[in-house]
Amino acid sequence: QVRLVESGGGLVEAGRSLRLSCAASGRTSTTYVMGWFRQAPGKERELVVAISRFGSQTYYARSVRGRFTISRDSGKNTMYLQMNSLTSEDTAVYYCAAREESTISTRSYEYEYWGQGTQVTVSS
């Protein structure tokens, strides 16, 4: 089993930055891909960013390209999401997720492990 714990969410003004962290524990040797999904009220959960185990592959949703940066410290089993130039459209609950495959998937059901979620609210 793998446990994921997010931190770093909160309330921020539009145009400002926020950094999320996701710490993995347990059987982390199998967490090849990690990513951040988000879900806004009334919307489906969507993949925002994802990264392969050693960072050789990344995925960015079109809406966040150029503003968000994903990184991963495999030694610390921690993934980070740097979010810059935030807008109200980024307001959502952000979930850390991991899957035991080497390829990035945008489908939430293909991720076996999930964090509890952290709220990000951007005020305009």
Side-chain angles (χ1 to χ4, degrees):
Q1 284 292 334
V2 175
R3 182 173 182 237
L4 303 175
V5 178
E6 303 105 332
S7 61
L11 173 64
V12 65
E13 293 180 348
R16 303 297 292 270
S17 300
L18 207 59
R19 188 193 195 204
L20 305 182
S21 299
C22 174
S25 60
R27 202 164 61 116
T28 58
S29 61
T30 62
T31 55
Y32 297 114
V33 170
M34 295 184 73
W36 290 96
F37 285 79
R38 68 184 180 187
Q39 188 165 21
K43 295 187 177 180
E44 293 186 356
R45 189 171 297 191
E46 63 170 346
L47 179 65
V48 180
V49 295
I51 188 168
S52 59
R53 184 171 186 183
F54 296 107
S56 60
Q57 300 174 32
T58 57
Y59 167 88
Y60 289 88
R62 185 173 300 179
S63 59
V64 305
R65 288 175 193 169
R67 300 188 299 120
F68 289 14
T69 303
I70 189 172
S71 61
R72 183 172 182 174
D73 186 335
S74 295
K76 295 181 179 180
N77 294 318
T78 301
M79 175 179 63
Y80 305 96
L81 178 60
Q82 179 66 41
M83 304 185 293
N84 299 329
S85 302
L86 287 161
T87 75
S88 58
E89 295 296 310
D90 297 314
T91 294
V93 177
Y94 284 72
Y95 296 91
C96 173
R99 68 189 301 245
E100 296 181 355
E101 296 289 341
S102 59
T103 56
I104 293 174
S105 171
T106 60
R107 303 177 182 89
S108 59
Y109 60 82
E110 292 187 340
Y111 287 75
E112 293 91 352
Y113 307 106
W114 291 85
Q116 79 285 356
T118 185
Q119 177 70 47
V120 172
T121 303
V122 184
S123 62
S124 56

mmCIF file of all heavy atoms in Angstrom, residues 38-72:
data_model
loop_
_atom_site.group_PDB
_atom_site.id
_atom_site.type_symbol
_atom_site.label_atom_id
_atom_site.label_comp_id
_atom_site.label_asym_id
_atom_site.label_seq_id
_atom_site.Cartn_x
_atom_site.Cartn_y
_atom_site.Cartn_z
ATOM 1 N N ARG A 38 -7.490 17.722 -10.162
ATOM 2 C CA ARG A 38 -8.272 18.724 -9.449
ATOM 3 C C ARG A 38 -9.741 18.563 -9.820
ATOM 4 O O ARG A 38 -10.085 18.095 -10.909
ATOM 5 C CB ARG A 38 -7.806 20.141 -9.749
ATOM 6 C CG ARG A 38 -8.057 20.631 -11.159
ATOM 7 C CD ARG A 38 -7.461 22.020 -11.348
ATOM 8 N NE ARG A 38 -7.676 22.537 -12.698
ATOM 9 C CZ ARG A 38 -7.138 23.669 -13.166
ATOM 10 N NH1 ARG A 38 -6.340 24.410 -12.369
ATOM 11 N NH2 ARG A 38 -7.404 24.068 -14.389
ATOM 12 N N GLN A 39 -10.572 18.967 -8.883
ATOM 13 C CA GLN A 39 -12.008 18.892 -9.114
ATOM 14 C C GLN A 39 -12.671 20.132 -8.551
ATOM 15 O O GLN A 39 -12.608 20.383 -7.342
ATOM 16 C CB GLN A 39 -12.606 17.637 -8.483
ATOM 17 C CG GLN A 39 -14.053 17.402 -8.839
ATOM 18 C CD GLN A 39 -14.510 15.999 -8.508
ATOM 19 O OE1 GLN A 39 -13.919 15.306 -7.687
ATOM 20 N NE2 GLN A 39 -15.573 15.557 -9.165
ATOM 21 N N ALA A 40 -13.281 20.879 -9.441
ATOM 22 C CA ALA A 40 -14.027 22.066 -9.042
ATOM 23 C C ALA A 40 -15.496 21.679 -8.857
ATOM 24 O O ALA A 40 -15.946 20.672 -9.409
ATOM 25 C CB ALA A 40 -13.890 23.148 -10.110
ATOM 26 N N PRO A 41 -16.252 22.448 -8.092
ATOM 27 C CA PRO A 41 -17.668 22.128 -7.868
ATOM 28 C C PRO A 41 -18.432 22.000 -9.179
ATOM 29 O O PRO A 41 -18.349 22.861 -10.050
ATOM 30 C CB PRO A 41 -18.154 23.333 -7.055
ATOM 31 C CG PRO A 41 -16.948 23.828 -6.355
ATOM 32 C CD PRO A 41 -15.817 23.614 -7.325
ATOM 33 N N GLY A 42 -19.143 20.898 -9.318
ATOM 34 C CA GLY A 42 -19.945 20.676 -10.504
ATOM 35 C C GLY A 42 -19.176 20.217 -11.725
ATOM 36 O O GLY A 42 -19.755 20.070 -12.804
ATOM 37 N N LYS A 43 -17.880 19.988 -11.574
ATOM 38 C CA LYS A 43 -17.059 19.560 -12.705
ATOM 39 C C LYS A 43 -16.433 18.208 -12.442
ATOM 40 O O LYS A 43 -16.324 17.759 -11.297
ATOM 41 C CB LYS A 43 -15.965 20.604 -12.992
ATOM 42 C CG LYS A 43 -16.503 21.947 -13.457
ATOM 43 C CD LYS A 43 -15.373 22.867 -13.872
ATOM 44 C CE LYS A 43 -15.921 24.179 -14.399
ATOM 45 N NZ LYS A 43 -14.815 25.106 -14.829
ATOM 46 N N GLU A 44 -16.000 17.564 -13.516
ATOM 47 C CA GLU A 44 -15.339 16.273 -13.383
ATOM 48 C C GLU A 44 -13.906 16.461 -12.896
ATOM 49 O O GLU A 44 -13.293 17.514 -13.090
ATOM 50 C CB GLU A 44 -15.337 15.550 -14.734
ATOM 51 C CG GLU A 44 -16.721 15.136 -15.215
ATOM 52 C CD GLU A 44 -16.647 14.306 -16.465
ATOM 53 O OE1 GLU A 44 -15.547 14.117 -16.995
ATOM 54 O OE2 GLU A 44 -17.702 13.833 -16.918
ATOM 55 N N ARG A 45 -13.402 15.421 -12.283
ATOM 56 C CA ARG A 45 -12.012 15.454 -11.851
ATOM 57 C C ARG A 45 -11.128 15.376 -13.097
ATOM 58 O O ARG A 45 -11.338 14.547 -13.977
ATOM 59 C CB ARG A 45 -11.734 14.273 -10.918
ATOM 60 C CG ARG A 45 -10.399 14.327 -10.250
ATOM 61 C CD ARG A 45 -10.289 13.253 -9.169
ATOM 62 N NE ARG A 45 -11.258 13.444 -8.088
ATOM 63 C CZ ARG A 45 -11.225 12.771 -6.947
ATOM 64 N NH1 ARG A 45 -10.281 11.868 -6.736
ATOM 65 N NH2 ARG A 45 -12.139 12.977 -6.039
ATOM 66 N N GLU A 46 -10.137 16.237 -13.159
ATOM 67 C CA GLU A 46 -9.263 16.290 -14.326
ATOM 68 C C GLU A 46 -7.800 16.237 -13.909
ATOM 69 O O GLU A 46 -7.407 16.751 -12.864
ATOM 70 C CB GLU A 46 -9.503 17.585 -15.125
ATOM 71 C CG GLU A 46 -9.176 18.858 -14.369
ATOM 72 C CD GLU A 46 -9.185 20.103 -15.229
ATOM 73 O OE1 GLU A 46 -9.176 19.991 -16.469
ATOM 74 O OE2 GLU A 46 -9.172 21.203 -14.654
ATOM 75 N N LEU A 47 -7.012 15.627 -14.780
ATOM 76 C CA LEU A 47 -5.570 15.585 -14.552
ATOM 77 C C LEU A 47 -4.974 16.941 -14.924
ATOM 78 O O LEU A 47 -5.175 17.447 -16.026
ATOM 79 C CB LEU A 47 -4.921 14.491 -15.384
ATOM 80 C CG LEU A 47 -3.402 14.375 -15.234
ATOM 81 C CD1 LEU A 47 -3.023 13.958 -13.817
ATOM 82 C CD2 LEU A 47 -2.833 13.392 -16.253
ATOM 83 N N VAL A 48 -4.238 17.493 -14.000
ATOM 84 C CA VAL A 48 -3.604 18.794 -14.218
ATOM 85 C C VAL A 48 -2.163 18.622 -14.677
ATOM 86 O O VAL A 48 -1.752 19.184 -15.685
ATOM 87 C CB VAL A 48 -3.646 19.645 -12.933
ATOM 88 C CG1 VAL A 48 -2.976 20.993 -13.160
ATOM 89 C CG2 VAL A 48 -5.089 19.841 -12.480
ATOM 90 N N VAL A 49 -1.421 17.844 -13.916
ATOM 91 C CA VAL A 49 -0.025 17.572 -14.235
ATOM 92 C C VAL A 49 0.314 16.165 -13.791
ATOM 93 O O VAL A 49 -0.329 15.620 -12.895
ATOM 94 C CB VAL A 49 0.946 18.559 -13.531
ATOM 95 C CG1 VAL A 49 0.764 19.968 -14.026
ATOM 96 C CG2 VAL A 49 0.759 18.502 -12.030
ATOM 97 N N ALA A 50 1.336 15.596 -14.410
ATOM 98 C CA ALA A 50 1.812 14.286 -13.996
ATOM 99 C C ALA A 50 3.283 14.160 -14.348
ATOM 100 O O ALA A 50 3.778 14.845 -15.251
ATOM 101 C CB ALA A 50 1.004 13.172 -14.656
ATOM 102 N N ILE A 51 3.946 13.256 -13.636
ATOM 103 C CA ILE A 51 5.377 13.084 -13.848
ATOM 104 C C ILE A 51 5.732 11.631 -13.642
ATOM 105 O O ILE A 51 5.177 10.956 -12.771
ATOM 106 C CB ILE A 51 6.169 14.004 -12.890
ATOM 107 C CG1 ILE A 51 7.653 13.988 -13.209
ATOM 108 C CG2 ILE A 51 5.918 13.632 -11.435
ATOM 109 C CD1 ILE A 51 8.445 15.080 -12.487
ATOM 110 N N SER A 52 6.644 11.133 -14.454
ATOM 111 C CA SER A 52 7.105 9.770 -14.303
ATOM 112 C C SER A 52 8.069 9.686 -13.128
ATOM 113 O O SER A 52 8.463 10.709 -12.553
ATOM 114 C CB SER A 52 7.789 9.292 -15.587
ATOM 115 O OG SER A 52 8.893 10.130 -15.899
ATOM 116 N N ARG A 53 8.472 8.478 -12.804
ATOM 117 C CA ARG A 53 9.192 8.264 -11.556
ATOM 118 C C ARG A 53 10.477 9.082 -11.444
ATOM 119 O O ARG A 53 10.760 9.655 -10.392
ATOM 120 C CB ARG A 53 9.526 6.787 -11.384
ATOM 121 C CG ARG A 53 10.191 6.505 -10.048
ATOM 122 C CD ARG A 53 10.344 5.049 -9.771
ATOM 123 N NE ARG A 53 10.843 4.814 -8.433
ATOM 124 C CZ ARG A 53 11.133 3.623 -7.948
ATOM 125 N NH1 ARG A 53 10.958 2.549 -8.699
ATOM 126 N NH2 ARG A 53 11.578 3.491 -6.725
ATOM 127 N N PHE A 54 11.241 9.134 -12.506
ATOM 128 C CA PHE A 54 12.494 9.877 -12.452
ATOM 129 C C PHE A 54 12.421 11.182 -13.245
ATOM 130 O O PHE A 54 13.457 11.775 -13.548
ATOM 131 C CB PHE A 54 13.638 8.998 -12.937
ATOM 132 C CG PHE A 54 13.878 7.801 -12.065
ATOM 133 C CD1 PHE A 54 13.522 6.531 -12.495
ATOM 134 C CD2 PHE A 54 14.433 7.932 -10.801
ATOM 135 C CE1 PHE A 54 13.727 5.424 -11.687
ATOM 136 C CE2 PHE A 54 14.642 6.845 -9.981
ATOM 137 C CZ PHE A 54 14.287 5.584 -10.423
ATOM 138 N N GLY A 55 11.209 11.582 -13.561
ATOM 139 C CA GLY A 55 11.016 12.897 -14.158
ATOM 140 C C GLY A 55 11.281 12.987 -15.641
ATOM 141 O O GLY A 55 11.299 14.088 -16.206
ATOM 142 N N SER A 56 11.476 11.864 -16.306
ATOM 143 C CA SER A 56 11.794 11.916 -17.731
ATOM 144 C C SER A 56 10.576 12.272 -18.583
ATOM 145 O O SER A 56 10.709 12.753 -19.711
ATOM 146 C CB SER A 56 12.381 10.579 -18.195
ATOM 147 O OG SER A 56 11.445 9.534 -17.969
ATOM 148 N N GLN A 57 9.400 12.014 -18.055
ATOM 149 C CA GLN A 57 8.165 12.336 -18.775
ATOM 150 C C GLN A 57 7.274 13.195 -17.878
ATOM 151 O O GLN A 57 7.156 12.950 -16.690
ATOM 152 C CB GLN A 57 7.410 11.066 -19.149
ATOM 153 C CG GLN A 57 8.167 10.116 -20.042
ATOM 154 C CD GLN A 57 7.405 8.825 -20.250
ATOM 155 O OE1 GLN A 57 6.175 8.811 -20.272
ATOM 156 N NE2 GLN A 57 8.125 7.740 -20.396
ATOM 157 N N THR A 58 6.659 14.191 -18.509
ATOM 158 C CA THR A 58 5.710 15.034 -17.790
ATOM 159 C C THR A 58 4.487 15.284 -18.659
ATOM 160 O O THR A 58 4.532 15.153 -19.888
ATOM 161 C CB THR A 58 6.316 16.386 -17.390
ATOM 162 O OG1 THR A 58 6.790 17.045 -18.570
ATOM 163 C CG2 THR A 58 7.442 16.220 -16.393
ATOM 164 N N TYR A 59 3.418 15.634 -17.994
ATOM 165 C CA TYR A 59 2.179 15.997 -18.682
ATOM 166 C C TYR A 59 1.646 17.269 -18.038
ATOM 167 O O TYR A 59 1.652 17.402 -16.812
ATOM 168 C CB TYR A 59 1.134 14.891 -18.548
ATOM 169 C CG TYR A 59 -0.252 15.333 -18.967
ATOM 170 C CD1 TYR A 59 -0.668 15.232 -20.284
ATOM 171 C CD2 TYR A 59 -1.128 15.878 -18.035
ATOM 172 C CE1 TYR A 59 -1.924 15.651 -20.670
ATOM 173 C CE2 TYR A 59 -2.390 16.314 -18.410
ATOM 174 C CZ TYR A 59 -2.787 16.193 -19.727
ATOM 175 O OH TYR A 59 -4.024 16.625 -20.112
ATOM 176 N N TYR A 60 1.194 18.187 -18.867
ATOM 177 C CA TYR A 60 0.569 19.411 -18.383
ATOM 178 C C TYR A 60 -0.737 19.620 -19.147
ATOM 179 O O TYR A 60 -0.745 19.595 -20.388
ATOM 180 C CB TYR A 60 1.467 20.631 -18.598
ATOM 181 C CG TYR A 60 2.680 20.681 -17.698
ATOM 182 C CD1 TYR A 60 3.873 20.073 -18.066
ATOM 183 C CD2 TYR A 60 2.621 21.339 -16.473
ATOM 184 C CE1 TYR A 60 4.981 20.118 -17.245
ATOM 185 C CE2 TYR A 60 3.730 21.394 -15.641
ATOM 186 C CZ TYR A 60 4.900 20.776 -16.043
ATOM 187 O OH TYR A 60 5.997 20.823 -15.206
ATOM 188 N N ALA A 61 -1.800 19.830 -18.423
ATOM 189 C CA ALA A 61 -3.050 20.202 -19.080
ATOM 190 C C ALA A 61 -2.852 21.554 -19.764
ATOM 191 O O ALA A 61 -2.066 22.400 -19.306
ATOM 192 C CB ALA A 61 -4.176 20.301 -18.063
ATOM 193 N N ARG A 62 -3.552 21.736 -20.851
ATOM 194 C CA ARG A 62 -3.376 22.957 -21.636
ATOM 195 C C ARG A 62 -3.644 24.201 -20.800
ATOM 196 O O ARG A 62 -2.976 25.228 -20.955
ATOM 197 C CB ARG A 62 -4.316 22.930 -22.836
ATOM 198 C CG ARG A 62 -4.151 24.096 -23.799
ATOM 199 C CD ARG A 62 -4.988 23.894 -25.034
ATOM 200 N NE ARG A 62 -4.613 22.685 -25.751
ATOM 201 C CZ ARG A 62 -5.207 22.265 -26.863
ATOM 202 N NH1 ARG A 62 -6.225 22.940 -27.363
ATOM 203 N NH2 ARG A 62 -4.804 21.169 -27.465
ATOM 204 N N SER A 63 -4.571 24.107 -19.893
ATOM 205 C CA SER A 63 -4.973 25.282 -19.111
ATOM 206 C C SER A 63 -3.906 25.755 -18.131
ATOM 207 O O SER A 63 -3.982 26.876 -17.631
ATOM 208 C CB SER A 63 -6.261 24.968 -18.349
ATOM 209 O OG SER A 63 -6.070 23.865 -17.485
ATOM 210 N N VAL A 64 -2.904 24.915 -17.854
ATOM 211 C CA VAL A 64 -1.902 25.294 -16.859
ATOM 212 C C VAL A 64 -0.494 25.407 -17.440
ATOM 213 O O VAL A 64 0.445 25.768 -16.715
ATOM 214 C CB VAL A 64 -1.883 24.305 -15.676
ATOM 215 C CG1 VAL A 64 -3.273 24.180 -15.067
ATOM 216 C CG2 VAL A 64 -1.338 22.946 -16.088
ATOM 217 N N ARG A 65 -0.340 25.112 -18.701
ATOM 218 C CA ARG A 65 0.990 25.182 -19.305
ATOM 219 C C ARG A 65 1.554 26.596 -19.215
ATOM 220 O O ARG A 65 0.866 27.565 -19.499
ATOM 221 C CB ARG A 65 0.925 24.734 -20.766
ATOM 222 C CG ARG A 65 0.711 23.253 -20.933
ATOM 223 C CD ARG A 65 0.536 22.869 -22.386
ATOM 224 N NE ARG A 65 0.030 21.510 -22.495
ATOM 225 C CZ ARG A 65 -0.420 20.969 -23.622
ATOM 226 N NH1 ARG A 65 -0.401 21.679 -24.745
ATOM 227 N NH2 ARG A 65 -0.868 19.741 -23.636
ATOM 228 N N GLY A 66 2.813 26.647 -18.827
ATOM 229 C CA GLY A 66 3.467 27.938 -18.672
ATOM 230 C C GLY A 66 3.252 28.580 -17.320
ATOM 231 O O GLY A 66 3.909 29.571 -16.992
ATOM 232 N N ARG A 67 2.323 28.031 -16.526
ATOM 233 C CA ARG A 67 2.044 28.593 -15.202
ATOM 234 C C ARG A 67 2.381 27.613 -14.080
ATOM 235 O O ARG A 67 2.824 28.028 -13.006
ATOM 236 C CB ARG A 67 0.563 28.984 -15.098
ATOM 237 C CG ARG A 67 0.105 30.005 -16.103
ATOM 238 C CD ARG A 67 -1.305 30.486 -15.805
ATOM 239 N NE ARG A 67 -2.291 29.402 -15.846
ATOM 240 C CZ ARG A 67 -3.045 29.056 -14.808
ATOM 241 N NH1 ARG A 67 -2.917 29.670 -13.642
ATOM 242 N NH2 ARG A 67 -3.925 28.073 -14.941
ATOM 243 N N PHE A 68 2.141 26.345 -14.306
ATOM 244 C CA PHE A 68 2.375 25.317 -13.290
ATOM 245 C C PHE A 68 3.633 24.528 -13.639
ATOM 246 O O PHE A 68 3.916 24.292 -14.813
ATOM 247 C CB PHE A 68 1.201 24.349 -13.222
ATOM 248 C CG PHE A 68 -0.056 24.913 -12.627
ATOM 249 C CD1 PHE A 68 -0.228 26.283 -12.441
ATOM 250 C CD2 PHE A 68 -1.088 24.069 -12.242
ATOM 251 C CE1 PHE A 68 -1.386 26.801 -11.898
ATOM 252 C CE2 PHE A 68 -2.250 24.561 -11.697
ATOM 253 C CZ PHE A 68 -2.399 25.922 -11.530
ATOM 254 N N THR A 69 4.337 24.092 -12.607
ATOM 255 C CA THR A 69 5.515 23.262 -12.788
ATOM 256 C C THR A 69 5.476 22.110 -11.794
ATOM 257 O O THR A 69 5.339 22.334 -10.596
ATOM 258 C CB THR A 69 6.805 24.065 -12.590
ATOM 259 O OG1 THR A 69 6.826 25.175 -13.501
ATOM 260 C CG2 THR A 69 8.026 23.178 -12.848
ATOM 261 N N ILE A 70 5.623 20.914 -12.318
ATOM 262 C CA ILE A 70 5.652 19.731 -11.459
ATOM 263 C C ILE A 70 7.095 19.276 -11.296
ATOM 264 O O ILE A 70 7.892 19.381 -12.229
ATOM 265 C CB ILE A 70 4.781 18.596 -12.039
ATOM 266 C CG1 ILE A 70 4.644 17.455 -11.038
ATOM 267 C CG2 ILE A 70 5.330 18.106 -13.377
ATOM 268 C CD1 ILE A 70 3.654 16.387 -11.456
ATOM 269 N N SER A 71 7.418 18.800 -10.123
ATOM 270 C CA SER A 71 8.746 18.256 -9.878
ATOM 271 C C SER A 71 8.617 17.117 -8.874
ATOM 272 O O SER A 71 7.597 16.983 -8.196
ATOM 273 C CB SER A 71 9.704 19.333 -9.371
ATOM 274 O OG SER A 71 9.242 19.881 -8.157
ATOM 275 N N ARG A 72 9.667 16.349 -8.800
ATOM 276 C CA ARG A 72 9.607 15.161 -7.948
ATOM 277 C C ARG A 72 10.982 14.881 -7.381
ATOM 278 O O ARG A 72 11.976 14.876 -8.115
ATOM 279 C CB ARG A 72 9.127 13.973 -8.778
ATOM 280 C CG ARG A 72 8.945 12.675 -8.049
ATOM 281 C CD ARG A 72 8.280 11.667 -8.965
ATOM 282 N NE ARG A 72 8.041 10.403 -8.292
ATOM 283 C CZ ARG A 72 7.371 9.394 -8.828
ATOM 284 N NH1 ARG A 72 6.867 9.512 -10.055
ATOM 285 N NH2 ARG A 72 7.192 8.275 -8.164
#
